[in-house]
Amino acid sequence: MAARRAHGARGARVLRGVLAVFVACAVAVPLVGADRGRVPAPVPAVVAGPSAANLDAVYAAHRANAAEAARMADAYGDRRRAAADRALAGRQLLHFDGRGAGLVTEVFGDLAHADRVAVLVPGSDTGIDTYGRFRAAALALHERLGTRAAVVAWLGYETPATVGATVATTDRAEEAAPGLRELVDDVRDVAGPRARVSLLCHSYGSVVCAEAADGLAVDDIALLGSPGTGSDTAAGLRTRARIWAARGADDWVGNVPHLSVDLLGTTVGFGTDPVSPAFGARVFAAGDGGHSDYFAPGSASLANLTRIVLGETPAVTS
């Protein structure tokens, strides 16, 4: 009886701590960000849906838009954003929107002829200004996969701040899910129905993938450094895709309380730990890395992600 009371007291303390952080962030973060200016940028290019036939034209339209965004940012005096936009203007872009934090969908490899496609979904604090680290992950994976595969880096939603109210709820993920579904449809239209498509979802990106998973035409979904998905079990995601999960030994997400509670009309927290037996995912080895190391060259996690994307599932180490 005493043990149950002690356990209940610890749970209550954890819950109070989470709620206190949530409330503090809800008050403080809007004030911190209130004075940040918006760098001017053009509206996104209007193009037809991508296909194998028009892919070069789609890339060209978004490259031109990124070049114009760089010119506008330069005139505004934001050299950092101008440099980031200018770099994007030389790449294979399925989508570009330079407004606000910015949205980018970049393709690595020959998407029209790929028989394996990996779609990377980022977590918090990712925008055009910080896009380099996300791009590095996509490049590292593409180098491992080789020419038979393509990688799509999908910065297709406004990611939450790591310290903020939105990162503790599914709100941003719910807003992002339709865009991720549309992206998967676009990938299928370009690569064809026989291509094997995998979603590799990092941190808060795993919440986005979970929201989009129901009926999504993908073969595998990998949850990397996930705080939870909002679902109690992998089966609850209602997808035919294989669900994988991994966490590096030094990933701070392992210390996040895995709970979910209704508060002020929204749900705070993401429930069951995806690497726990109760969730039911296929847990694979990620080595000793931290929260940002899942695509580090030479890492166990990158090796296993490569095997998952290529369909070499028996070789994935647990």
Side-chain angles (χ1 to χ4, degrees):
M1 188 70 164
R4 284 199 299 271
R5 283 199 299 268
H7 179 76
R10 285 195 298 271
R13 285 196 298 272
V14 169
L15 180 57
R16 284 197 298 272
V18 171
L19 297 184
V21 170
F22 177 78
V23 172
C25 290
V27 173
V29 170
L31 296 178
V32 170
D35 293 329
R36 292 188 63 189
R38 290 280 183 172
V39 181
V43 298
V46 178
V47 296
S51 67
N54 74 353
L55 192 56
D56 287 342
V58 170
Y59 289 159
H62 291 302
R63 279 198 297 264
N65 192 268
E68 176 61 12
R71 186 196 66 77
M72 294 175 70
D74 203 25
Y76 182 73
D78 192 327
R79 302 291 185 266
R80 180 184 180 188
R81 173 59 67 86
D85 290 340
R86 196 172 295 116
L88 287 165
R91 298 171 183 163
Q92 296 184 148
L93 304 181
L94 272 185
H95 182 71
F96 175 83
D97 184 351
R99 299 171 298 178
L103 304 176
V104 180
T105 302
E106 183 177 358
V107 176
F108 302 81
D110 186 355
L111 182 59
H113 297 96
D115 59 4
R116 302 286 189 272
V117 182
V119 177
L120 273 60
V121 181
S124 58
D125 289 324
T126 309
I128 287 180
D129 290 336
T130 58
Y131 179 71
R133 64 190 184 191
F134 181 45
R135 187 174 195 268
L139 277 171
L141 178 64
H142 187 246
E143 288 173 2
R144 282 294 304 260
L145 291 171
T147 57
R148 63 186 290 197
V151 174
V152 180
W154 183 75
L155 173 54
Y157 76 109
E158 185 179 352
T159 66
T162 298
V163 180
T166 52
V167 80
T169 76
T170 60
D171 293 352
R172 287 283 175 88
E174 291 168 4
E175 295 169 2
L180 181 54
R181 294 189 190 104
E182 183 178 350
L183 183 276
V184 171
D185 288 342
D186 287 344
V187 166
R188 289 288 184 191
D189 288 342
V190 175
R194 294 185 180 179
R196 180 189 183 90
V197 179
S198 303
L199 293 185
L200 311 184
C201 319
H202 179 241
S203 194
Y204 190 86
S206 66
V207 188
V208 177
C209 290
E211 288 290 336
D214 189 359
L216 199 63
V218 297
D219 299 278
D220 295 276
I221 299 175
L223 311 173
L224 312 170
S226 174
T229 64
S231 174
D232 290 334
T233 64
L237 300 179
R238 298 186 298 277
T239 175
R240 66 176 178 82
R242 282 177 290 269
I243 305 297
W244 304 82
R247 179 179 300 135
D250 200 31
D251 190 337
W252 57 263
V253 166
N255 298 319
V256 172
H258 293 282
L259 49 81
S260 180
V261 61
D262 292 330
L263 176 69
L264 303 177
T266 191
T267 301
V268 181
F270 306 109
T272 309
D273 185 349
V275 299
S276 70
F279 188 74
R282 302 180 182 209
V283 179
F284 64 93
D288 296 329
H291 193 61
S292 300
D293 298 331
Y294 291 94
F295 295 90
S299 65
S301 55
L302 181 59
N304 277 326
L305 289 169
T306 301
R307 295 170 185 133
I308 290 169
V309 173
L310 294 178
E312 300 169 356
T313 53
V316 176
T317 60
S318 61

